Amino acid sequence: MGTVLITGSAGFIGFFVASSLLESGETVIGIDNFNSYYTPELKRARTDILRNYTNFVPLEMDLVERDAVKSCFAKYSPEIVFHSAAQAGVRHSLKNPHAYQQSNLEGFINLIEEAKQTGIKRFVYASSSSVYGGNTKMPYAEDDPVNTPVSLYAATKRANELIAYTYTHLWNLQTIGLRFFTVYGPWGRPDMAYWSFLEAILHDEPIKVFNFGKNRRDFTYIDEIVSGVIAALRSDRLEPYEIINLGNNTPVELMEFIELLESFAGKKAIKEMVPPQPGDVVATYADITRAQSKLDFQPRTALKEGLERFVSWYLENRDLVRKVREFRRQNK
């Protein structure tokens, strides 16, 4: 495969993709800006694990800095890019839109432009199931209309797909967009429900159950996502421009999800039933026919199994999760 550039290598998905590639002997250049959307200590802990590999090169930089991006490509000459760096979070985009403008638009353009200029073989990037917006047809298929995003985060992810299309159309840069569906697992993101709900349950704090618990999500375990990303980096069955869903293909209602967390925590949640949150969608459900055909993608981890692994990891890493909790409380 050659040298792979991974942006967001200290993030949840980027970390696991980097680990897999490093384990198989690939050289990985990992970029992250270690921002404070959640505690940087979690990101640095992930990066410390990657530093154990001699074929890993960590770079602390921001993709908004165009000259830094140019210097990175000039120095390391990557052949393939996996772009997972982004400002995440639907709800955060309601409060801090400029973070999404900078990371998800400016950063994306700086990176894909340099990929074009240097003749990158393949540009794989993280999109999101959020682009489907309020679509009611289930499951979501890649050819469904996606012109009505219900959050700024979703709009920036759809913009990435459109920008990628123009780079493929005008300059023959192969671009592969992967629409991820609610990824979870050990070393995950503290802003996601599986983490924040477990934390609240263990500390006897109430959790807000939006849309009165009627939301459904296609929870997808991290191992499945990694297998899909690696296949997207390597597969010879991909067109010059691709959009592909990566999901579990099994949506679960929020109340069932909470009950599983309760069973593993050994405690009942204090539930505060509330109306829908602005920007949220009622359900996500991935049609994975294209991923199965082109990436040999096949989810195998049921939610019960995946959540049990996450809870075990959480309980085994008390010092780290305590730092995450303290950071969250200090930055409310």
Side-chain angles (χ1 to χ4, degrees), residues 7 18 21 40-41 92 122 140 151 172 183 191 198 202 204 206 221 223 225 235 242 245 264 277 281 305 309 328:
T7 69
L21 290 173
E41 287 203 51
H92 188 64
R122 182 174 293 181
Y140 295 154
S151 71
N172 298 316
V183 189
D191 62 312
L198 177 62
L202 292 174
D204 299 310
Y221 191 64
D223 288 4
I225 293 295
S235 175
E242 294 273 16
N245 288 337
F264 296 132
Q277 172 90 352
V281 298
E305 179 184 354
R309 292 178 191 172
R328 189 205 305 272

Side-chain angles (χ1 to χ4, degrees), residues 4-47:
V4 182
L5 176 65
I6 297 182
T7 69
S9 59
F12 178 31
I13 296 172
F15 161 67
F16 274 100
V17 172
S19 297
S20 180
L21 290 173
L22 291 166
E23 194 64 33
S24 66
E26 310 290 353
T27 297
V28 173
I29 313 300
I31 292 177
D32 211 287
N33 66 1
F34 296 92
N35 68 27
S36 57
Y37 174 59
Y38 56 81
T39 178
E41 287 203 51
L42 177 56
K43 300 173 186 179
R44 296 199 183 278
R46 297 183 186 125
T47 302

Side-chain angles (χ1 to χ4, degrees), residues 16-311:
F16 274 100
V17 172
S19 297
S20 180
L21 290 173
L22 291 166
E23 194 64 33
S24 66
E26 310 290 353
T27 297
V28 173
I29 313 300
I31 292 177
D32 211 287
N33 66 1
F34 296 92
N35 68 27
S36 57
Y37 174 59
Y38 56 81
T39 178
E41 287 203 51
L42 177 56
K43 300 173 186 179
R44 296 199 183 278
R46 297 183 186 125
T47 302
D48 285 345
I49 294 172
L50 299 179
R51 287 179 188 273
N52 291 321
Y53 294 90
T54 58
N55 45 332
F56 177 66
V57 180
L59 299 176
E60 187 165 347
M61 56 176 276
D62 198 313
L63 297 177
V64 174
E65 299 168 0
R66 195 184 310 174
D67 289 343
V69 175
K70 286 180 174 290
S71 296
C72 172
F73 276 76
K75 183 174 182 178
Y76 296 104
S77 302
E79 298 176 45
I80 294 179
V81 170
F82 172 51
H83 176 47
S84 67
Q87 178 56 62
V90 168
R91 291 164 191 165
H92 188 64
S93 70
L94 305 176
K95 302 175 183 178
N96 193 357
H98 293 101
Y100 294 78
Q101 167 211 332
Q102 294 165 357
S103 293
N104 299 8
L105 299 177
E106 292 177 36
F108 187 89
I109 288 176
N110 289 345
L111 190 71
I112 199 171
E113 173 65 16
E114 201 57 31
K116 181 259 288 188
Q117 293 285 359
T118 56
I120 289 294
K121 292 180 180 178
R122 182 174 293 181
F123 186 91
V124 180
Y125 62 96
S127 187
S128 168
S129 62
S130 67
V131 302
Y132 290 106
N135 285 12
T136 56
K137 170 189 163 289
M138 297 287 172
Y140 295 154
E142 293 89 347
D143 294 331
D144 292 344
V146 284
N147 298 317
T148 55
V150 296
S151 71
L152 179 62
Y153 169 71
T156 62
K157 286 298 186 178
R158 179 56 181 151
N160 289 169
E161 296 177 351
L162 295 172
I163 293 166
Y165 180 84
T166 64
Y167 273 75
T168 299
H169 174 71
L170 294 172
W171 294 292
N172 298 316
L173 173 64
Q174 187 180 34
T175 62
I176 313 298
L178 303 175
R179 291 176 178 168
F180 298 144
F181 282 69
T182 316
V183 189
Y184 74 100
W187 291 98
R189 275 175 37 201
D191 62 312
M192 298 291 282
Y194 60 90
W195 184 307
S196 60
F197 281 12
L198 177 62
E199 179 181 294
I201 292 169
L202 292 174
H203 289 87
D204 299 310
E205 297 169 348
I207 60 174
K208 288 187 176 181
V209 182
F210 290 103
N211 197 25
F212 309 103
K214 296 177 183 177
N215 288 348
R216 292 186 302 143
R217 291 290 179 268
D218 200 349
F219 294 100
T220 311
Y221 191 64
I222 182 62
D223 288 4
E224 328 288 20
I225 293 295
V226 172
S227 69
V229 173
I230 299 297
L233 292 170
R234 291 177 168 157
S235 175
D236 59 3
R237 284 175 278 170
L238 300 177
E239 300 297 325
Y241 177 82
E242 294 273 16
I243 298 292
I244 302 175
N245 288 337
L246 293 183
N248 198 48
N249 191 233
T250 310
V252 174
E253 195 164 274
L254 188 56
M255 293 306 296
E256 180 182 344
F257 166 79
I258 293 171
E259 288 169 3
L260 284 171
L261 280 178
E262 290 174 327
S263 68
F264 296 132
K267 300 176 73 174
K268 285 291 185 181
I270 303 169
K271 294 181 277 290
E272 181 183 346
M273 312 301 283
V274 295
Q277 172 90 352
D280 277 354
V281 298
V282 173
T284 61
Y285 181 5
D287 181 334
I288 58 172
T289 305
R290 186 176 296 179
Q292 290 171 319
S293 171
K294 299 199 171 195
L295 303 177
D296 295 322
F297 180 76
Q298 190 58 55
R300 294 180 173 85
T301 308
L303 181 62
K304 181 178 180 180
E305 179 184 354
L307 277 183
E308 186 172 20
R309 292 178 191 172
F310 166 69
V311 173

